[in-house]
Amino acid sequence: MPSAEPQSPSALDIRPLAEADLPEAEQIVRRAFGTHLGAADPDIFMADRRYLASRWRAEPDGGVVATDEGVVIGSNIATRWGSVGFFGPLSVSPERWNQGVAAALLEPTMAIFDRWGVLDRGLFTFAESPKHLGLYQKFGFWPRALTAVMSCPVRKRNAAPELLSNAATGDRDPLLEECRRLTDEIHPGLDVTGEARVVESQHLGETVVLPGTSRLDGFAVCHCGQGTEAGAGAVYVKFGAARPGPGAARRFSRLLDACVGLAHARGLTRVDAGVSLARRGACSTMYDLGFRAKTQGIAMHRPDRAGYHRRGVYVADDWR
């Protein structure tokens, strides 16, 4: 969220994000993050990715936009994973930084979380930026573990994985229910089956499923290629989880291998996935498979508790 705050501008109007706002809001995301990160041409930074449209279509009541005399100058969007919610990308036009726009967008975002009844709220931000950390602390968020955004080149020809989309129509809902039970075992109420439905309905990628002998061993909701959250040439594991308990590390390794298999089957060249550094075992497994950190940020939580960002949890995700 490239912005910091003091005073609120008088002409600012905050309202729900509408579909017509998405092109301008996406452009502001590129300009804001590109400017903050020093891109040569911020207007085309991350031009191969789309973050807002799919999230808005999944939760049309989760977005807010800031305008000044009808001109979009910033936006934010919340995502709901059952009992867990996070927001972002929060972005403000660079010429309007330090004018209170981000804080004005955060106030209705907190009201959205209240309305949804999410118990654990979070965000991903720049670990090195005191102004970002300070802004979010004003809204009750506390910095916890670093999150590494990792990448693995597709060097080997892994077998094509089993996919939710290949299951018989009557088997898909039972498979999704198994996914929900798996995440609920990791953290009470955690539910990313909505992400799997969004990926299928919006043709963003695939959900990899890892059957076990008696129940599901793991699953991964993946975006694939240009025009999604993955970007050109990549599979992005938006959320991947192995069933907890003895053997979880082995199941997690198999799941990530299956994601590499998906990338190979799609003709893509890398797999990207985030992981909380509080999940030591998950990090080690990813390093063993050839994943390396390309950037990192910090997860901030409200309330100040670990949630599913803890040892013994084999999950790949980030809250970007």
Side-chain angles (χ1 to χ4, degrees), residues 65-180:
V65 66
T67 66
D68 188 346
E69 297 184 351
V71 177
V72 174
I73 61 170
S75 68
N76 193 23
I77 194 156
T79 295
R80 172 170 39 175
W81 288 352
S83 63
V84 175
F86 61 94
F87 66 79
L90 194 166
S91 61
V92 176
S93 294
E95 62 273 13
R96 299 302 297 265
W97 289 357
N98 302 313
Q99 296 179 21
V101 180
L105 287 164
L106 281 169
E107 290 173 4
T109 302
M110 297 305 103
I112 290 167
F113 285 145
D114 290 341
R115 185 171 71 248
W116 286 349
V118 297
L119 302 178
D120 289 273
R121 308 171 184 194
L123 64 113
F124 174 100
T125 193
F126 304 107
E128 75 284 1
S129 174
K131 70 180 183 181
H132 290 89
L133 301 183
L135 169 64
Y136 297 128
Q137 284 175 307
K138 291 177 183 177
F139 285 83
F141 293 90
W142 195 256
R144 294 189 63 93
L146 292 172
T147 297
V149 179
M150 306 182 81
S151 188
C152 178
V154 178
R155 295 195 183 102
K156 53 184 180 177
R157 297 189 175 186
N158 290 23
E162 295 198 37
L163 304 173
L164 179 67
S165 62
N166 289 339
T169 302
D171 293 336
R172 293 182 190 177
D173 283 345
L175 269 173
L176 286 171
E177 177 59 20
E178 285 196 59
C179 293
R180 188 201 63 77

Side-chain angles (χ1 to χ4, degrees), residues 41 45 61 125 127 144 150 154 177 191 249 270 281 298:
D41 187 348
F45 183 69
D61 65 336
T125 193
R144 294 189 63 93
M150 306 182 81
V154 178
E177 177 59 20
D191 180 1
R270 72 181 192 276
I298 194 161

Side-chain angles (χ1 to χ4, degrees), residues 174-193:
L175 269 173
L176 286 171
E177 177 59 20
E178 285 196 59
C179 293
R180 188 201 63 77
R181 284 199 293 263
L182 189 156
T183 52
D184 187 67
E185 192 175 346
I186 290 169
H187 181 74
L190 176 63
D191 180 1
V192 297
T193 57

